[in-house]
């Protein structure tokens, strides 16, 4: 068993977010060197800093930042860089080739103009208030203002201990850093708002990690990622003012400091929401309410984007929610393979709090906690009265994206919501691959088109290759608890159900396990042929409904040329909304395993691939030779079909394969289901 491991339209407001500055300092459009980045560290000038300069674990009161310094690592080595991300800083591409690049972005040397600090914040973790958390493994380096007037905060994650590290060493390892580096860039190129990653630098410094908390620690390479965003302020940044929580007995370190709360609000609104600041400059309460409304909208748009590409965050705590509506803090994330609304990507989420289908509701809950955190400056009732906006914005953004994914461009009909849901239901019932099932729908022809019947049959046959086989379905239902744990929980359910409820979602875990056991029993005699026949019937029913909805799209189109023109637009929109490539867990794992052996080429190859996730033609540049030689390797027979469905007008797309001989756009191999991220 292996271990651990269109573009959808962003709102105008979100796009503007990356072009806002309070203090624009425009420079000529020439590129910068490592020694000439244009630092302007506004956050440290604007917000209170902890007066204590010694680096030890402590409660930090009345401050937003604590000064700290990265700890050097031995023999830093660059694993990979994202040139598009580094260009945000005006950094010349050739700078990443210099020997000192790894020294700077391993924390061994400080960039001229940088000031290192750690941010203080709190958070609700898995529904409970945890008190002070803070940047225990990340360090602010400063803010770079580029020649376009954009302000970008840069951080090193994994740079060593800070006052917020608690019992941790403040380090990150190669596997987790590669995952964050790759996914940050993958999400950006998918069109989902996100923090960016500029570099991944590893070292010979070894740190001890017990991956699965099993008592079997190993020594791993300390590795750092350069993170880039307009700001890393989050919901939890405002929770440092939270009074004592009755359930956990914890409070924020700056309880009662209304002056600091208002200082933070003024800084955040003026810097990142200048239109709101100007519009409501004479009324603080209206200013704060308008800010909260904007955060609601950005958050709703963000989670709608996640749902439409099948992304599961895994740890949607309030300290992992950006005030700018960015995806932030990539830990145990995952993209859906076979569609399952109850998919849990975080192996530590025993209670299933952060399943895929719950993400919209959890983000709304987190917004409620943000409203409570602002209570000294903005009445809670006034703020929470605005939460209906979240539901409206989410529904609007989600359905807009889904209509693009299904090619419904001319009309918005009430029945569309049911069509989307029935597609998801069919994927769930057949255990079909989320990404590939959506992608192939662009091959489904408009009613009345030439050769439509043949093409439709090809789509059905392809969809069947993306469904789980009978054996795979049975295997997915195997018990997740060992017999002793199951017996213990059954006893608790009989003798002390309240205690069971408190044991990390134990009651829900038990119910899910019993459901799996019942389902497994139902599947005992299911044959491959029966599964295929049932799946085919289900897909034919849905495609019939889809064909009927597409017929309504063509109402009013006169002549073959109008039909052809609309179909071309429809196909282009669908293929720009349904990615061909996503960062599946097994793709990341193969890159990690190669990197742990000293071969970073697969990390770089995957990064290059993810820069064009919607493309049928991929140019891997100077990485192509390695990829082509790998593609001739024997493939895993369990990987499912990897070639794309073809049609009379659109030929099948040849698969691109990685270092293990598996197609990047194929259905995952069976062993991928065993990967666990904690």
């Amino acid at each position: 068993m292996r271990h651990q491991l269109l573009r959808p339209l962003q709102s105008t407001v979100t796009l503007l977010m990356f072009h806002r500055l309070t203090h624009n300092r425009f420079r000529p459009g020439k590129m910068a060197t490592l020694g000439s980045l244009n630092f302007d560290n506004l956050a440290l000038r604007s917000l209170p800093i902890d007066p204590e300069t010694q680096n030890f674990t402590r409660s930090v009161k009345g401050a937003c930042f604590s000064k700290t310094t990265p700890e050097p690592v031995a023999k830093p080595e660059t694993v990979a860089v994202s040139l598009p991300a580094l260009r945000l800083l005006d950094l010349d591409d050739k700078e990443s080739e210099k020997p000192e690049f790894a020294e700077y972005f391993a924390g061994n040397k400080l960039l001229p103009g940088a000031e290192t600090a750690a941010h203080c914040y709190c958070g609700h973790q898995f529904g409970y208030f945890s008190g002070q958390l803070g940047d225990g493994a990340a360090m602010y380096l400063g803010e770079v203002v580029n020649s376009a007037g954009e302000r970008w905060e840069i951080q090193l994650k994994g740079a060593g201990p800070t006052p917020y590290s608690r019992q941790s060493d403040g380090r990150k390892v190669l596997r987790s850093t590669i995952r964050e580096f790759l996914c940050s860039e993958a999400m950006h190129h998918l069109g989902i708002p996100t923090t960016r990653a500029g570099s991944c630098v590893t070292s010979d410094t070894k740190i001890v990690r017990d991956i699965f908390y099993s008592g079997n620690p190993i020594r791993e390479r300390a590795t750092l990622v350069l993170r880039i965003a307009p700001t890393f302020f989050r919901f939890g940044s405002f929770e440092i003012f939270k009074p004592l929580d009755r359930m956990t007995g914890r409070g924020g370190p700056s309880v009662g400091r209304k002056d600091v709360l208002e200082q933070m609000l003024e800084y955040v609104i003026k810097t990142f929401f200048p239109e709101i600041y100007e519009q409501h400059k004479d009324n603080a309460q209206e200013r704060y309410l308008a800010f909260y409304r904007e955060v609601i909208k950005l958050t709703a748009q963000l989670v709608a984007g996640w749902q439409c590409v099948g992304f599961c965050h895994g740890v949607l705590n309030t300290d992992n929610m950006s005030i700018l509506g960015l995806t932030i803090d990539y830990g145990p994330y995952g993209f859906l393979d076979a569609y399952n609304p109850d998919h849990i990507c975080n192996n530590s989420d025993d209670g299933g709090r952060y399943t895929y289908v719950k993400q919209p509701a959890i983000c709304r809950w987190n917004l409620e906690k943000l409203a409570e955190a602002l209570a000294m400056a903005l009445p809670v009732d006034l703020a929470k009265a605005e939460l209906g906006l979240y539901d409206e914005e989410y529904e609007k953004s989600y359905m807009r994206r889904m209509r693009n994914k299904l090619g419904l461009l001319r009309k918005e009909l009430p029945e569309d919501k049911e069509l989307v849901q029935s597609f998801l239901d069919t994927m769930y019932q057949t255990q079909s691959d989320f990404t590939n099932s959506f992608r192939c729908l662009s091959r489904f022809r408009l009613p009345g088109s030439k050769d439509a019947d043949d093409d439709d049959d090809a789509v059905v046959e392809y969809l069947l290759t993306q469904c789980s086989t009978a054996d795979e379905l049975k295997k997915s239902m195997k018990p997740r608890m060992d017999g002793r744990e199951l017996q213990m929980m059954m006893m608790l359910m009989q003798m002390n159900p309240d205690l069971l409820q408190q044991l990390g979602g134990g009651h829900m875990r038990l119910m899910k396990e019993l459901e799996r056991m019942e389902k497994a029993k139902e599947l005992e005699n299911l044959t491959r042929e029966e599964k295929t026949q049932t799946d085919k019937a289900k897909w034919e029913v849905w495609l019939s409904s889809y064909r009927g909805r597409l017929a309504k799209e063509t109402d009013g189109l006169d002549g073959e040329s109008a039909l052809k023109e609309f179909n071309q637009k429809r196909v282009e929109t669908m293929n720009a909304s349904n990615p061909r490539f996503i960062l599946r867990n097994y793709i990341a794992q193969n890159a990690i395993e190669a990197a742990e052996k000293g071969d970073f080429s697969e990390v770089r190859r995957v990064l290059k691939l993810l820069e064009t996730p919607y493309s049928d033609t991929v140019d891997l540049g100077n990485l192509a030779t390695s990829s082509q030689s790998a593609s001739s390797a024997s493939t895993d027979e369990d990987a499912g079909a990897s070639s794309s469905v073809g049609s009379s007008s659109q030929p099948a797309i040849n698969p691109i394969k990685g270092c293990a001989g598996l197609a990047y756009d194929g259905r995952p191999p069976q062993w991928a289901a065993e990967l666990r991220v904690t």
Side-chain angles (χ1 to χ4, degrees):
M1 169 179 164
R2 302 193 178 211
H3 287 283
Q4 198 270 348
L5 338 228
L6 186 217
R7 301 201 168 158
L9 295 175
Q10 298 175 336
S11 70
T12 303
V13 174
T14 305
L15 292 173
L16 286 173
M17 198 73 67
F18 297 97
H19 299 276
R20 289 171 168 169
L21 280 177
T22 301
H23 303 292
N24 288 339
R25 293 168 56 186
F26 292 90
R27 300 180 294 134
K30 76 175 191 179
M31 303 304 285
T33 65
L34 291 167
S36 66
L37 292 172
N38 186 35
F39 277 98
D40 177 36
N41 306 327
L42 179 63
L44 297 188
R45 294 200 310 272
S46 304
L47 297 169
I49 298 174
D50 180 11
E52 177 59 68
T53 57
Q54 297 298 310
N55 189 5
F56 62 93
T57 301
R58 60 186 182 273
S59 176
V60 176
K61 301 179 180 181
C64 299
F65 291 94
S66 299
K67 289 295 188 73
T68 188
T69 306
E71 283 194 352
V73 293
K75 297 182 180 179
E77 181 181 8
T78 301
V79 175
V81 298
S82 169
L83 295 178
L86 292 176
R87 289 176 197 140
L88 297 172
L89 312 178
D90 283 348
L91 197 63
D92 189 274
D93 290 357
K94 293 184 179 179
E95 293 295 293
S96 65
E97 301 170 9
K98 293 182 176 179
E100 59 265 35
F101 181 90
E103 294 284 339
Y104 279 121
F105 295 113
N108 287 14
K109 296 176 67 175
L110 196 61
L111 292 161
E115 297 178 80
T116 53
H119 179 41
C120 181
Y121 53 81
C122 293
H124 281 78
Q125 298 186 309
F126 290 90
Y128 299 97
F129 186 66
S130 298
Q132 179 179 293
L133 299 170
D135 281 336
M139 290 188 197
Y140 167 102
L141 296 184
E143 298 159 61
V144 175
V145 179
N146 67 18
S147 55
E150 301 165 346
R151 179 178 297 276
W152 296 101
E153 179 182 329
I154 59 175
Q155 287 188 346
L156 281 182
K157 187 172 181 179
T162 76
Y164 310 103
S165 296
R166 291 167 285 175
Q167 304 303 313
S168 171
D169 55 18
R171 293 296 190 189
K172 294 296 176 182
V173 298
L174 186 60
R175 56 187 162 81
S176 61
T177 306
I178 286 174
R179 282 176 56 84
E180 173 149 2
F181 173 77
L182 288 175
C183 200
S184 299
E185 293 305 282
M187 291 290 275
H188 168 73
H189 292 290
L190 285 170
I192 308 297
T194 180
T195 57
R196 303 292 300 276
S199 65
C200 175
V201 176
T202 194
S203 72
D204 282 352
T205 296
K206 297 297 176 65
I207 55 179
V208 177
R209 289 292 184 268
D210 186 351
I211 301 176
F212 294 110
Y213 312 105
S214 60
N216 298 298
I218 59 174
R219 290 170 60 81
E220 301 188 68
R221 300 176 75 179
T223 309
L224 301 90
V225 63
L226 174 68
R227 305 203 300 181
I228 306 171
T231 183
F232 286 85
F233 264 72
R234 53 200 76 203
F235 292 11
S237 302
F238 294 94
E239 290 189 298
I240 63 173
F241 309 104
K242 178 176 168 54
L244 194 70
D245 185 87
R246 292 181 180 178
M247 184 171 293
T248 65
R250 295 172 179 168
S254 298
V255 175
R257 291 297 303 270
K258 183 180 179 183
D259 58 324
V260 179
L261 170 60
E262 291 177 341
Q263 192 174 353
M264 286 175 59
L265 282 167
E266 294 301 312
Y267 160 76
V268 165
I269 297 171
K270 188 175 183 180
T271 308
F272 305 107
F273 301 86
E275 296 92 341
I276 289 174
Y277 187 85
E278 289 299 320
Q279 187 176 355
H280 302 286
K281 63 168 53 179
D282 298 325
N283 189 311
Q285 184 165 290
E286 289 182 4
R287 188 160 62 247
Y288 302 154
L289 185 60
F291 157 70
Y292 182 66
R293 285 175 56 86
E294 193 63 27
V295 175
I296 288 174
K297 289 165 62 177
L298 293 171
T299 304
Q301 293 162 10
L302 174 67
V303 70
W306 291 346
Q307 301 304 99
C308 289
V309 295
F311 175 77
C312 305
H313 187 284
V315 195
L316 279 178
N317 299 328
T318 55
D319 54 296
N320 293 334
M321 296 289 297
S322 163
I323 60 161
L324 300 187
L326 308 176
T327 314
I328 188 172
D329 284 354
Y330 291 92
Y333 66 80
F335 285 86
L336 293 174
D337 292 324
Y339 177 69
N340 178 3
D342 296 319
H343 175 68
I344 300 172
C345 67
N346 179 359
N347 204 45
S348 302
D349 186 8
D350 293 335
R353 177 177 175 82
Y354 297 137
T355 63
Y356 165 79
V357 76
K358 291 180 182 176
Q359 290 187 140
I362 289 295
C363 287
R364 193 185 197 279
W365 188 89
N366 288 339
L367 284 163
E368 292 181 15
K369 299 300 117 181
L370 176 60
E372 293 167 11
L374 302 177
M376 286 191 295
L378 179 65
V380 174
D381 292 345
L382 192 64
K384 288 189 176 181
E386 300 295 330
L387 284 169
L389 176 63
Y390 176 86
D391 304 317
E392 297 171 10
E393 191 66 31
Y394 173 78
E395 183 74 13
K396 181 173 67 175
S397 183
Y398 179 78
M399 286 307 300
R400 184 187 71 243
R401 287 176 177 268
M402 278 296 181
R403 285 190 177 96
N404 283 337
K405 289 172 77 70
L406 296 181
L408 309 178
L409 311 182
R410 298 185 67 228
K411 299 179 180 181
E412 296 182 6
L413 302 180
E415 66 201 59
D416 294 347
K417 187 174 181 179
E418 173 57 31
L419 184 69
V420 170
Q421 187 57 53
S422 63
F423 182 73
L424 298 176
D425 291 342
T426 305
M427 280 197 294
Y428 180 51
Q429 293 161 8
T430 62
Q431 287 293 283
S432 180
D433 186 84
F434 181 91
T435 299
N436 292 346
S437 296
F438 267 112
R439 177 80 177 181
C440 82
L441 293 182
S442 67
R443 309 280 173 163
F444 196 79
R445 303 299 296 276
L446 288 172
S449 301
K450 183 181 178 182
D451 300 323
D453 290 341
D454 292 339
D455 290 339
D456 293 355
D457 289 342
V459 170
V460 172
E461 291 305 312
Y462 177 78
L463 283 168
L464 292 177
T465 70
Q466 298 306 305
C467 299
S468 298
T469 65
D471 289 342
E472 289 169 342
L473 189 57
K474 292 174 186 177
K475 189 174 182 179
S476 71
M477 291 296 140
K478 71 178 183 179
R480 291 180 178 173
M481 292 183 186
D482 63 39
R484 288 176 299 176
E485 184 181 11
L486 179 62
Q487 186 178 16
M488 181 194 72
M489 288 201 166
M490 291 289 287
M491 289 175 60
L492 278 176
M493 185 170 70
Q494 295 293 328
M495 301 170 60
N496 195 339
D498 290 339
L499 177 59
L500 179 62
Q501 188 73 27
Q502 295 174 32
L503 292 176
H507 183 268
M508 184 175 294
R509 285 183 64 209
L510 178 59
M511 292 299 101
K512 289 289 184 183
E513 189 70 4
L514 293 175
E515 287 176 14
R516 291 168 62 82
M517 292 172 63
E518 184 177 348
K519 183 68 174 177
K521 190 172 182 180
E522 293 175 4
L523 296 173
E524 280 180 350
N525 299 317
L526 181 68
T527 67
R528 177 184 290 263
E529 292 74 18
E530 289 171 342
K531 173 74 164 57
T532 299
Q533 290 174 3
T534 302
D535 291 346
K536 184 175 182 180
K538 290 182 183 298
W539 278 118
E540 286 177 342
V541 168
W542 186 83
L543 288 170
S544 177
S545 298
Y546 184 45
R547 185 182 295 107
R549 176 61 182 87
L550 288 177
K552 296 179 181 179
E553 283 291 293
T554 61
D555 286 349
L557 291 177
D558 296 326
E560 186 175 335
S561 103
L563 194 67
K564 184 176 180 180
E565 182 181 348
F566 171 68
N567 191 58
Q568 181 177 348
K569 180 182 178 182
R570 167 183 163 268
V571 169
E572 289 173 354
T573 301
M574 293 177 74
N575 286 344
S577 305
N578 295 308
R580 179 184 176 192
F581 305 110
I582 55 170
L583 184 60
R584 299 178 189 267
N585 271 344
Y586 82 91
I587 293 175
Q589 184 65 20
N590 283 337
I592 289 166
E593 290 182 359
E596 287 177 334
K597 296 173 184 175
D599 179 4
F600 304 144
S601 63
E602 182 67 5
V603 176
R604 297 167 184 173
R605 188 178 302 116
V606 171
L607 175 65
K608 185 71 174 177
L609 185 81
L610 295 173
E611 289 177 353
T612 54
Y614 297 97
S615 178
D616 281 338
T617 57
V618 178
D619 180 9
L620 292 176
N622 59 7
L623 296 170
T625 301
S626 300
S627 179
Q628 288 168 356
S629 63
S631 69
S632 64
S634 60
T635 60
D636 188 331
E637 291 181 358
D638 292 332
S642 58
S643 60
S644 298
V645 61
S647 73
S648 58
S649 61
Q650 297 169 306
I653 306 300
N654 291 325
I656 299 176
K657 299 180 181 180
C659 62
L662 300 175
Y664 291 121
D665 60 348
R667 191 163 62 84
Q670 281 195 30
W671 59 258
E674 302 297 328
L675 291 173
R676 292 289 179 263
V677 186
T678 60

